Amino acid sequence: MREQDLDIVAIGRSSVDLYGQQIGGRLEDMASFSKAVGGCPANISIGTSRLGLKSALITRVGDEHFGRFITEQLQREGVCTDGVKVDPERFTALAILGVRDRENFPLLFYRTDCADGALDEDDIDPALIARTKAIVVSGTHFSRPHSAKAQRKAMKLVHAHGGKVAIDVDYRPNLWGLAGIGDGESRYVRSDNVTRHLMEILPECDLIVGTEEELHIAGGSEDTLEAIRAIRKVSKGTIVCKRGPMGCVVFEGEIPDSLDDGISGPGFPVEVYNTLGAGDAFMSGFLRGWVRGEPIAECCRFANACGAFAVSRLLCSSEIPTWEELTWFLEHGSTQRALRRDRELNHLHWVTTRRAQATPIMALACDHRLQLEEIASAVGASFDRIPAFKKLAIEAARTVARGRPGFGVFMDGRYGQDALFEASHAGLWIARPIEKTGSRPLDFECGGSLGAHLVEWPGEQVIKCLCFYHPDDSEELKLRQERELIRAQDACRKLGKEILIEIIAGKNGTLTADTVSSILSRLYDKGLRPDWWKLEGQRDPEAWKKIGAVIEARDPHCRGVVILGLDAPAEELMDAFRASAATPWVKGFAIGRTIFAQPARDWLAGKTTDAQAVAEMAKRFEAFVEAWQARDRAVLAGTSA
């Protein structure tokens, strides 16, 4: 028997869910949609992985962009994708969803000859099943003969290896052909045929989970207690009845005379925002405890809390909590009935689900606009040449990076749109500015609505916001700048984008060992918790220690600090590199004019070729990379660089 390195293998549906963003509107009137991985088994595989289980998914996806999205997102979530097969002939399934009001959630399934619907016995790898402690099958995938055979094969295999079978009844009448194509929202249509199919499956199931209506279809009775008794006649498995805001009730042995006499798990009083996906979140929470042998009451607590998160948020898999988020909620609760408005939970959700990021960040900063205009004016060059120079900067960064992670660029959209395309194709880490060049108080380059503007920016781009801020500024100036920084952070969070806040203090006052740390303390007090800080280089290790102490105390989930250049001499910046080793929170650098200013001047003046400009920038960038790597080696060796 192979080592069981997996806790759960979920089998069946995987789709791309497109959620209408206009809450309360008809699907007919939706103007924009949010995208997420969907489908009951896919959601459960992601949910259980977030909760600390080692999960895998067996499904099919199309050989196209949405299929790759599902596979890539599963991998980002830590889900094993060994069982995800690419179907070259079929499209990935789609689900289109909306929130009409608190009771109605229109849902359309686009599943005609879709990839996951073609799952068959050949897709079940015995070696993969041998690796898991349990599998999760879904009732919907028993609606077609070939996918039913696939799940039955997996059930036999896992039992042969001493594992368990859990079933999520997951009843969707129109996927059984019992409702119209536009009636995906329908949750219950009585059918003796469906009941017969499920009754043949239930004897092989160790855990049976469903809503009251799903247990009705499984047990063939619209009296919940009678339906559960009918299930018990054919199955010794643990039966879990989900009861919405009332929580759940579980039956491990004989069925009592009242539902209330089972093992109960009370619900959590939250505002219902969207019920779609709540069952998958519930199942994820229950499995977290069940697979690890936790008491049933604890399984219920995990499950009900996860369900509460899901109904209080919009999407499905994206909204399932992480283990850190869940345990914080179970310990502290929330002052908000609408959990989506709880700032602490939202922050925990964001920082524990954002994409992994390699560090250190070693970036060539060429997002400068005014400075390059000044250089062009000084040598008599047209501003129209600036975009071409920015593409050369990308080539220099790519030359140094050589495909290694952590290398990146800072690049703007005004002169650098084509350069941004090149950076994305090169796989570079990208930060893009939103501030109006030189503005103090802070203003945004786009004008109007920042959020509406950022909708067009790719999710891979980190939003960078520069603010000239000093503790000696007037209170009025500080409050105005803080308001704009909070607006920027709020826009980024709502759009699922990372934000890097750049603070430059030394241009507007004295820079002491306490200056920047005091600024960070105040900004944290105001509710700012950016993903990254970008701070001017300082040659005093004590200053860096104080900065690191503030971050450690106020937001230990912060990605860290990158050091900016400010056109300082290379020797000064390398001194700052060495001083920054005083704290582990400094995670890299972003140097600009010290690298590109002279090459830009020469190139714009027509004194050098493209290749010469690239080579000179690459040479200067490489020198900083080598200095940073020497710093890191010294840190590891416990010596000064």
Side-chain angles (χ1 to χ4, degrees):
M1 183 183 297
R2 296 186 62 177
E3 179 184 357
Q4 292 180 324
D5 62 321
L6 296 171
D7 295 305
I8 287 289
V9 173
I11 304 169
R13 285 190 293 138
S14 63
S15 64
V16 170
D17 286 354
L18 299 175
Y19 274 84
Q21 293 180 306
Q22 288 73 53
I23 306 304
R26 305 184 308 157
L27 273 184
E28 294 89 333
D29 300 322
M30 288 297 155
S32 58
F33 295 82
S34 292
K35 174 168 66 75
V37 173
C40 173
N43 290 340
I44 290 170
S45 69
I46 288 174
T48 51
S49 180
R50 287 186 173 187
L51 292 171
L53 297 184
K54 296 177 181 178
S55 65
L57 178 66
I58 294 176
T59 190
R60 285 195 192 187
V61 298
D63 186 15
E64 26 76 356
H65 309 79
F66 279 175
R68 289 189 289 275
F69 161 68
I70 290 175
T71 303
E72 290 172 9
Q73 184 60 30
L74 289 168
Q75 291 168 347
R76 283 192 287 266
E77 296 279 2
V79 176
C80 172
T81 56
D82 292 354
V84 178
K85 307 302 181 185
V86 176
D87 189 324
E89 299 178 355
R90 297 173 177 85
F91 282 114
T92 302
L94 295 178
I96 317 295
L97 314 93
V99 178
R100 189 71 176 97
D101 52 44
R102 297 190 191 281
E103 304 294 333
N104 298 285
F105 307 95
L107 169 59
L108 302 175
F109 289 109
Y110 285 72
R111 299 188 54 79
T112 302
D113 197 28
C114 62
D116 69 339
L119 192 76
D120 63 26
E121 288 182 284
D122 291 339
D123 296 316
I124 305 300
D125 178 8
L128 180 62
I129 300 300
R131 292 167 53 191
T132 188
K133 297 173 185 174
I135 66 168
V136 181
V137 296
S138 61
T140 296
H141 247 58
F142 287 108
S143 63
R144 298 290 183 269
H146 50 280
S147 54
K149 288 180 180 178
Q151 294 198 123
R152 294 297 290 268
K153 176 182 176 181
M155 294 167 71
K156 291 179 181 178
L157 287 170
V158 77
H159 277 151
H161 289 286
K164 295 183 177 181
V165 175
I167 182 171
D168 190 318
V169 179
D170 182 37
Y171 184 42
R172 300 288 187 178
N174 75 335
L175 298 186
W176 285 85
L178 300 173
I181 61 171
D183 196 19
E185 185 182 0
S186 173
R187 293 303 181 93
Y188 181 74
V189 173
R190 184 168 183 169
S191 168
D192 292 339
N193 179 54
V194 174
T195 299
R196 187 183 72 256
H197 272 77
L198 294 177
M199 276 292 187
E200 293 174 355
I201 303 302
L202 297 180
E204 305 302 319
C205 298
D206 303 286
L207 177 67
I208 301 161
V209 180
T211 63
E212 291 195 54
E213 290 174 332
E214 287 172 335
L215 295 181
H216 293 171
I217 194 68
S221 171
E222 294 177 358
D223 179 289
T224 304
L225 204 56
E226 288 303 314
I228 293 173
R229 288 193 177 111
I231 293 170
R232 175 57 75 230
K233 288 180 180 179
V234 299
S235 174
K236 296 179 180 179
T238 298
I239 303 170
V240 181
C241 178
K242 298 181 289 187
R243 306 181 76 187
M246 297 171 62
C248 64
V249 61
V250 182
F251 305 94
E252 291 192 285
E254 294 299 317
I255 308 304
D257 294 332
S258 170
L259 283 178
D260 296 330
D261 292 335
I263 302 172
S264 63
F268 292 84
V270 297
E271 176 189 282
V272 175
Y273 190 57
N274 175 26
T275 61
L276 298 169
D280 302 336
F282 176 98
M283 186 69 160
S284 298
F286 198 93
L287 289 170
R288 157 70 201 213
W290 185 70
V291 169
R292 296 195 170 193
E294 298 276 5
I296 289 297
E298 191 72 351
C299 299
C300 294
R301 195 164 75 105
F302 295 161
N304 288 327
C306 289
F309 274 99
V311 299
S312 190
R313 294 169 172 171
L314 178 60
L315 306 178
C316 286
S317 63
S318 302
E319 312 290 26
I320 298 174
T322 61
W323 180 244
E324 182 175 350
E325 185 184 2
L326 177 63
T327 52
W328 194 96
F329 173 68
L330 292 174
E331 181 178 351
H332 300 281
S334 175
T335 59
Q336 302 283 339
R337 281 180 57 85
L339 298 185
R340 67 187 180 280
R341 297 196 180 106
D342 188 304
R343 290 176 59 185
E344 187 62 35
L345 286 174
N346 286 341
H347 180 66
L348 276 177
H349 188 72
W350 168 252
V351 298
T352 56
T353 59
R354 66 191 169 190
R355 295 187 182 191
Q357 175 59 56
T359 56
I361 295 294
M362 293 181 282
L364 194 167
C366 196
D367 56 329
H368 305 68
R369 290 139 284 168
L370 179 61
Q371 295 89 340
L372 277 167
E373 289 173 353
E374 291 172 345
I375 292 173
S377 296
V379 300
S382 168
F383 291 177
D384 291 342
R385 298 194 67 202
I386 295 176
F389 178 77
K390 286 181 177 276
K391 290 179 66 176
L392 297 180
I394 298 300
E395 184 59 32
R398 174 166 33 196
T399 299
V400 174
R402 300 192 298 277
R404 292 174 290 174
F407 285 82
V409 293
F410 282 65
M411 186 59 65
D412 64 291
R414 188 202 302 176
Y415 290 116
Q417 184 60 69
D418 287 338
L420 286 168
F421 294 151
E422 296 287 340
S424 178
H425 297 328
L428 295 169
W429 180 90
I430 301 170
R432 182 174 173 181
I434 56 174
E435 76 279 351
K436 186 176 182 179
T437 305
S439 61
R440 179 174 154 87
L442 172 63
D443 197 4
F444 302 122
E445 187 170 61
C446 64
S449 168
L450 177 62
H453 183 71
L454 294 181
V455 166
E456 299 179 1
W457 292 22
E460 70 190 51
Q461 295 177 358
V462 175
I463 310 305
K464 169 243 175 181
C465 186
L466 164 59
C467 183
F468 295 97
Y469 187 112
H470 194 276
D472 293 340
D473 292 341
S474 69
E475 187 67 13
E476 179 183 2
L477 176 57
K478 285 191 279 194
L479 288 172
R480 179 169 175 179
Q481 300 218 105
E482 289 157 3
R483 180 191 67 190
E484 297 307 295
L485 289 171
I486 289 169
R487 282 184 59 210
Q489 177 176 274
D490 184 61
C492 290
R493 288 292 174 268
K494 285 183 167 58
L495 294 170
K497 300 179 184 297
E498 291 191 32
I499 184 169
L500 176 150
I501 293 180
E502 178 177 354
I503 298 295
I504 296 179
K507 283 195 172 185
N508 300 99
T510 304
L511 194 63
T512 71
D514 297 306
T515 303
V516 176
S517 60
S518 68
I519 293 171
L520 299 194
S521 290
R522 174 166 171 134
L523 295 181
Y524 277 124
D525 286 342
K526 297 296 180 179
L528 283 164
R529 286 193 279 189
D531 300 277
W532 294 96
W533 293 103
K534 186 183 179 192
L535 305 175
E536 54 208 299
Q538 299 183 71
R539 301 160 85 175
D540 182 356
E542 191 61 28
W544 289 115
K545 286 180 183 178
K546 292 182 176 183
I547 288 167
V550 171
I551 296 172
E552 180 73 34
R554 305 302 298 274
D555 184 16
H557 289 287
C558 179
R559 287 205 189 272
V561 176
V562 292
I563 299 175
L564 62 94
L566 280 180
D567 202 18
E571 296 77 12
E572 288 186 13
L573 289 171
M574 291 177 184
D575 284 345
F577 284 8
R578 287 186 283 270
S580 72
T583 175
W585 284 102
V586 180
K587 302 288 183 66
F589 65 86
I591 307 298
R593 282 171 287 171
T594 309
I595 294 174
F596 76 73
Q598 189 59 50
R601 190 172 291 108
D602 293 341
W603 185 84
L604 288 168
K607 296 179 179 179
T608 56
T609 64
D610 290 358
Q612 289 171 328
V614 169
E616 181 61 24
M617 284 189 284
K619 175 183 174 183
R620 294 173 178 228
F621 185 23
E622 186 71 60
F624 284 110
V625 170
E626 291 174 356
W628 189 268
Q629 291 172 338
R631 167 207 184 271
D632 281 354
R633 287 193 296 270
V635 169
L636 289 173
T639 63
S640 58

